[in-house]
Amino acid sequence: MALGDKSVDAALMQTVVARFTAQASRTPDAEAVRFEGVGLTYAALDRRSNQLAHHLRGLGVTTDVLVGVCLERSVEMVVAVLAVLKAGGAYLPLDPAYPAPRLAFMLEDAKAPVLLTQAKLRAGLPAFAGPVLCLDESPALFAAEAPASPVDASSLEGLSYAIYTSGSTGTPKGVAMGHRPLANLIAWQLGQSIAGPGTRTLQFSPLSFDVSFQELFGTWCSGGTLVLVRDALRLDAVLLLQLLADERVERLFLPFIALQNLAEIATSHQKVPPTLREVVTAGEQLQVTHHGRAFFAALPGCALHNHYGPSETHVVSSYVLRGSPDPWPALPPIGKPVDGCELL
């Protein structure tokens, strides 16, 4: 699809919040999330995020207000992201593995007035003056809230998230991303992807890595199923391969180093995920290695997408490798700009 296509133009007039709400209305009984063998429908995800969104509104969260999200991989994590956006706010990912001083800096620098977390993580968090909601301990707190969507306070001109740089070369810096470029990204991505109703996508990236946005909303805006995975399993290539097979995962986003590790284990064990049809890599320079060629040779219908873009812009270019991997270049180019972008 390209700009000028009516379906794309319509999508660019909506935030991902509006697109999710419309999808939940069309397919309420479809599975939106799977976690450790248990599914959550679009209707249930919509209801739970609506109730939390109403509660956040009551705490003063509205347009452009940042909300700290410090949660392990769980259903609560994705409910929290949706709820913050539905309240009109923007989410601030806080990796539970970060040292408390770094978390304290991010919360203070972002001026986040509310923090969403889990009871098991509470003791390790820095002192925080605002409300701290442990989502796994407070279901009754939100159960009384209205299950219907709040009046949409999100705007294409408003913020959707803020992600902090690693700080490896100085003080970490927050990158604030608006809804409009993300609406463009998801509209473009769904025109290039196999994503569709029922398509299963693994949620591999940490919430603090911007690719996670594509995993979540590229899935939900197309009616697919997001498969969550705990960190311990995500970081073990042998267990991950088994999960990909067991959960019949079709789409996978991986940085090159993780893709290389997965390919090495898959070829050495002579076991590839049989349903995999699309792999997207970003964040590092893609290299097509011996193990990578063997991996994709065993998956003849699987395409490899090379995405490029800094955190400040998210994806700005793409190059797709298809067919036999034998002629693929060792260092694939970054490709052409995505719709609505220019490469200068």
Side-chain angles (χ1 to χ4, degrees):
M1 282 185 218
L3 294 178
D5 182 297
K6 291 183 179 179
S7 62
V8 173
D9 291 345
L12 294 179
M13 298 301 291
Q14 294 182 303
T15 65
V16 292
V17 178
R19 292 193 67 176
F20 169 84
T21 300
Q23 185 63 52
S25 178
R26 287 193 297 271
T27 59
D29 298 325
E31 194 172 60
V33 179
R34 280 186 65 78
F35 183 51
E36 299 186 333
V38 178
L40 191 70
T41 66
Y42 273 84
L45 179 58
D46 191 40
R47 181 182 67 254
R48 288 179 58 173
S49 57
N50 287 341
Q51 290 175 313
L52 180 54
H54 282 294
H55 192 78
L56 291 173
R57 284 276 184 91
L59 295 175
V61 176
T62 185
T63 306
D64 291 351
V65 172
L66 284 163
V67 176
V69 176
C70 187
L71 293 152
E72 291 183 341
R73 293 165 177 276
S74 59
V75 172
E76 286 84 11
M77 183 188 78
V78 296
V79 168
V81 168
L82 263 176
V84 171
L85 295 179
K86 285 186 173 192
Y91 62 96
L92 171 67
L94 301 164
D95 194 319
Y98 286 166
R102 178 181 169 90
L103 296 177
F105 168 80
M106 293 165 68
L107 285 165
E108 173 60 28
D109 190 62
K111 301 294 186 283
V114 180
L115 175 57
L116 305 180
T117 188
Q118 291 161 300
K120 65 188 293 185
L121 301 176
R122 184 68 182 92
L125 295 176
F128 184 71
V132 178
L133 306 182
C134 295
L135 300 188
D136 54 343
E137 274 194 345
S138 310
L141 183 64
F142 317 124
E145 301 284 2
S149 294
V151 175
D152 191 356
S154 62
S155 161
L156 285 170
E157 306 310 319
L159 291 180
S160 58
Y161 64 71
I163 289 179
Y164 276 72
T165 61
S166 66
S168 59
T169 58
T171 303
K173 297 177 178 62
V175 175
M177 180 61 69
H179 273 282
R180 188 177 295 279
L182 294 176
N184 178 72
L185 172 63
I186 296 301
W188 166 82
Q189 181 182 323
L190 296 185
Q192 313 297 314
S193 174
I194 63 165
T199 304
R200 294 183 171 222
T201 300
L202 185 75
Q203 204 285 295
F204 181 89
S205 300
L207 202 60
S208 55
F209 184 28
D210 55 11
V211 171
S212 62
F213 186 93
Q214 288 179 275
E215 293 173 328
L216 271 63
F217 290 97
T219 300
W220 291 333
C221 291
S222 62
T225 300
L226 189 72
V227 179
L228 302 178
V229 54
R230 289 198 186 276
D231 266 324
L233 193 154
R234 180 181 77 93
L235 299 174
D236 185 316
V238 175
L239 296 179
L240 183 59
L241 280 170
Q242 189 59 52
L243 176 87
L244 293 172
D246 291 345
E247 291 290 348
R248 306 189 305 282
V249 170
E250 298 160 89
R251 299 173 71 231
L252 183 60
F253 291 71
L254 289 176
F256 165 69
I257 191 169
L259 175 59
Q260 174 67 9
N261 184 42
L262 190 72
E264 288 178 6
I265 297 299
T267 52
S268 65
H269 286 64
Q270 296 187 332
K271 182 178 183 180
V272 297
T275 56
L276 200 58
R277 295 191 289 147
E278 183 173 284
V279 176
V280 181
T281 186
E284 301 170 290
Q285 183 179 30
L286 172 61
Q287 302 174 45
V288 178
T289 65
H290 166 73
H291 290 291
R293 292 184 200 278
F295 183 74
F296 285 96
L299 293 166
C302 186
L304 176 58
H305 296 247
N306 186 26
H307 286 183
Y308 171 79
S311 298
E312 290 80 0
T313 60
H314 213 307
V315 174
V316 294
S317 70
S318 173
Y319 186 80
V320 186
L321 296 157
R322 303 182 189 275
S324 170
D326 290 341
W328 292 359
L331 295 175
I334 63 172
K336 298 179 180 179
V338 306
D339 292 340
C341 295
E342 293 182 355
L343 293 180
L344 303 176

